[in-house]
Amino acid sequence: MKAEKVVILAIESSCDDTSSAVIVDGILRSNVIASQKVHEEYGGVVPELASRAHQLNILPVVDTALKRAGVTKDEISAIAFTRGPGLLGSLLVGTSFAKGLALSLNIPMIDVNHLQGHVLAHFLSPAENDQKCVDDGTGLPHPSFPFLCLLVSGGNSQIVLVKNYNDMQIIGQTIDDAAGEAFDKCAKVLGLPYPGGPWIDKLAKLGDPDKYPFAKPNIAGYDYSFSGLKTSFLYTLRDLLKAHEVETIDELAAQIPNLREDLCASLQATVVDILMRKLKKAVKDLKINQVAVAGGVSANSALRQAFIDYGKRYNWTVFIPPFSFTTDNAAMIAQAGYFKYLDKDFCAIDEVPFAKTTI
Ligand code: KG4
């Protein structure tokens, strides 16, 4: 008798991306993401607007994910959803939708930790015709356990010891701002649009990474800190404004050629150096040389290059996700859900979302 296929429908709505994905028998068949432009003019995510946009997007996004995967709703085996951490209002939209659909189809629900999802993106097996993944790298090699994962996003900067699909331990994390937050806040000071990370990355390509020496933290163990760097960036700008007797960045940029580019390149180089030094220490101490990177900031070109360079220099096997799996997406939630489905690890229908959970 032919075994029934396992179809996981996943929903991700933790922040400002409404996403849905379908995995069939372990192969990713679709991954649809609706990003919310509404926040751009505010320079950051407005939680209330995010919840409302999720409500508008969720039905067409799920519908498109099912259609692209070529499955009907009656074929779904279980619904995986992001339970947290994230914005509570945003999470409520995805969770409530998942509950309604699971109830109406009489199928199980699987709660997924968003952070674990980012780590487990390294186990995704995209269909061969997924051009985005093919373009981004040579397929997707999967790490074996245990491995270390640098998880860097707008809200998190941590080193995770991944012992198994469902057994992860944070061995180091930021004691204040996240790396993405440092990028976004410094970008805002420079008058760049939100989110600033990708803009810093773009401008940094044209700048000198050694031009402005910013302060680096001195924190024990594997923990990170980025608030001092943010202050150092601000003070550098303040001093330049004063020295050139001008009041705005635009006036300053008119006097100092390549100002924004050099500031971005120097900031980016400092963030990457801070992240990699601690990771190197963890690799050495724990004697684990399979090293992965995940989360929105893993889209950063200098960080990706640093992984390649460290890999070569220190004999690490590195795992860098395709761009499409770096920022928030439901594919990673589907993958985490698929593993939990195989373990029959379902959740109750009255499960509530969590704004703050750890890994
Ligand atoms: O994981 P993510 O999509 O969302 C959460 O934090 O939940 O990460 C978003 C973060 C933002 O801070 C954004 O500026 C940063 O990832 N980011 C980047 C790049 N692309 C996205 N930072 C630096 N360079 C990039 N290319």
Side-chain angles (χ1 to χ4, degrees):
M1 200 180 81
K2 196 169 166 264
E4 215 170 280
K5 62 183 175 188
V6 177
V7 179
I8 305 293
L9 171 76
I11 292 166
E12 152 68 32
S13 70
S14 63
C15 191
D16 60 342
D17 292 306
T18 320
S19 182
S20 180
V22 174
I23 279 186
V24 180
D25 286 338
I27 304 293
L28 179 67
R29 292 289 166 192
S30 65
N31 182 35
V32 178
I33 305 174
S35 300
Q36 304 176 358
K37 294 263 170 263
V38 65
H39 309 286
E40 274 172 16
E41 65 180 286
Y42 301 98
V45 177
V46 184
E48 177 61 26
L49 295 180
S51 315
R52 287 171 194 270
H54 281 308
Q55 283 180 316
L56 286 177
N57 293 342
I58 196 151
L59 198 53
V61 164
V62 170
D63 194 44
T64 309
L66 286 171
K67 282 194 180 123
R68 280 195 195 156
V71 298
T72 64
K73 61 182 187 335
D74 298 321
E75 292 176 281
I76 306 170
S77 316
I79 301 178
F81 66 99
T82 304
R83 188 174 170 200
L87 299 171
L88 207 48
S90 292
L91 289 164
L92 265 172
V93 178
T95 307
S96 308
F97 189 89
K99 283 180 184 177
L101 196 56
L103 262 180
S104 69
L105 297 172
N106 196 25
I107 52 174
M109 296 213 313
I110 301 168
D111 60 325
V112 174
N113 179 313
H114 178 83
L115 301 175
Q116 289 196 359
H118 271 301
V119 175
L120 296 178
H122 284 284
F123 292 89
L124 278 164
S125 301
E128 275 165 23
N129 60 359
D130 186 336
Q131 203 50 44
K132 264 192 191 143
C133 292
V134 177
D135 287 348
D136 282 345
T138 47
L140 270 188
H142 304 164
S144 52
F145 302 110
F147 67 94
L148 289 170
C149 185
L150 175 70
L151 178 51
V152 269
S153 68
N156 297 278
S157 295
Q158 39 195 230
I159 300 176
V160 184
L161 170 58
V162 189
K163 298 176 200 165
N164 211 325
Y165 303 119
N166 51 7
D167 189 2
M168 303 185 195
Q169 183 192 344
I170 297 170
I171 59 167
Q173 59 190 318
T174 180
I175 58 165
D176 41 56
D177 292 347
E181 211 174 335
F183 276 135
D184 294 342
K185 286 181 177 162
C186 293
K188 195 170 180 180
V189 173
L190 291 180
L192 299 172
Y194 177 85
W199 289 92
I200 301 249
D201 194 348
K202 209 169 154 184
L203 288 176
K205 291 196 170 76
L206 308 168
D208 174 1
D210 299 318
K211 178 86 184 195
Y212 299 104
F214 296 124
K216 288 182 188 166
N218 189 7
I219 312 274
Y222 309 122
D223 283 343
Y224 289 117
S225 165
F226 290 99
S227 71
L229 170 60
K230 213 175 56 189
T231 311
S232 174
F233 186 88
L234 263 180
Y235 284 3
T236 301
L237 259 180
R238 183 198 62 185
D239 294 347
L240 284 171
L241 287 166
K242 204 169 162 198
H244 287 78
E245 296 176 351
V246 289
E247 287 186 357
T248 67
I249 307 286
D250 285 341
E251 287 170 320
L252 191 61
Q255 290 193 26
I256 307 178
N258 236 29
L259 172 78
R260 283 194 175 87
E261 290 83 351
D262 289 341
L263 281 168
C264 289
S266 302
L267 173 74
Q268 180 175 274
T270 312
V271 171
V272 170
D273 188 55
I274 294 171
L275 289 171
M276 295 309 287
R277 270 171 199 253
K278 286 290 168 91
L279 191 57
K280 186 177 142 211
K281 180 174 159 55
V283 170
K284 195 165 166 238
D285 293 352
L286 276 74
K287 299 185 178 51
I288 294 176
N289 76 339
Q290 288 197 91
V291 197
V293 61
V297 179
S298 68
N300 183 268
S301 57
L303 183 59
R304 295 169 83 88
Q305 189 56 49
F307 259 72
I308 294 168
D309 295 344
Y310 272 65
K312 280 192 192 136
R313 201 176 322 149
Y314 302 111
N315 211 15
W316 299 358
T317 307
V318 296
F319 298 89
I320 304 167
F323 285 109
S324 43
F325 301 145
T326 55
T327 44
D328 291 346
N329 64 84
M332 64 188 198
I333 305 302
Q335 185 62 44
Y338 179 67
F339 287 138
K340 281 186 130 184
Y341 183 89
L342 298 180
D343 286 343
K344 297 280 170 274
D345 186 359
F346 305 128
C347 72
I349 196 80
D350 58 356
E351 213 72 271
V352 288
F354 282 125
K356 284 192 194 307
T357 45
T358 180
I359 213 154

